[in-house]
Amino acid sequence: QVQLVESGGGLVQPGGSLRLSCAASGSLFSIGAMGWYRQAPAKERELVAIISSGSSTNYGNSVKGRFTISRDNAKNTVYLQMNNLKPEDTAVYYCNTNVKRNYGSPYVTYWGQGTQVTVSS
């Protein structure tokens, strides 16, 4: 079994910063693309940022220039540095990781448990 454990969420004021972490553990052979998604109340889950195994990145339009996704392959961890946070960033943030559990096996998508980010005065 593969587990994704998220951390780093919390309450911050507008303009503040947070860094989210998501660490993969368990039986895994390699990790492909990793990403962050978020879901606010009464809204659809949306892409925040993705990073490939080669560390190329892509961001949702609403977070471009403010958020930075990165990864530490030695730690099987993906990070999301969130700067200049706005109230509209308030949501539950979920990490998404594509894992190959064995040589020759296909990649399988796993989701983290979600971490709450609240931006409020």
Side-chain angles (χ1 to χ4, degrees):
Q1 188 70 38
V2 175
Q3 297 86 36
L4 302 181
V5 179
E6 300 182 29
S7 62
L11 173 65
V12 297
Q13 296 184 16
S17 298
L18 284 174
R19 190 176 80 152
L20 306 183
S21 299
C22 177
S25 64
S27 299
L28 56 90
F29 177 76
S30 64
I31 299 177
M34 309 176 81
W36 290 94
Y37 297 74
R38 68 186 184 187
Q39 187 167 21
K43 293 185 178 180
E44 298 288 328
R45 186 172 298 187
E46 65 173 337
L47 172 70
V48 176
I50 53 174
I51 183 167
S52 73
S53 60
S55 294
S56 62
T57 59
N58 192 35
Y59 296 89
N61 289 332
S62 63
V63 307
K64 287 180 179 178
R66 300 188 297 119
F67 291 9
T68 302
I69 188 171
S70 62
R71 63 191 290 163
D72 185 337
N73 292 327
K75 296 181 178 180
N76 294 331
T77 299
V78 61
Y79 304 95
L80 184 68
Q81 178 66 47
M82 304 184 293
N83 297 325
N84 192 25
L85 283 161
K86 303 176 180 180
E88 51 263 42
D89 295 318
T90 296
V92 178
Y93 286 69
Y94 299 90
C95 66
N96 173 287
T97 302
N98 297 295
V99 176
K100 182 181 288 188
R101 297 190 64 185
N102 295 287
Y103 177 80
S105 299
Y107 280 101
V108 176
T109 299
Y110 292 87
W111 289 88
Q113 80 281 5
T115 184
Q116 177 70 46
V117 172
T118 302
V119 185
S120 176
S121 298

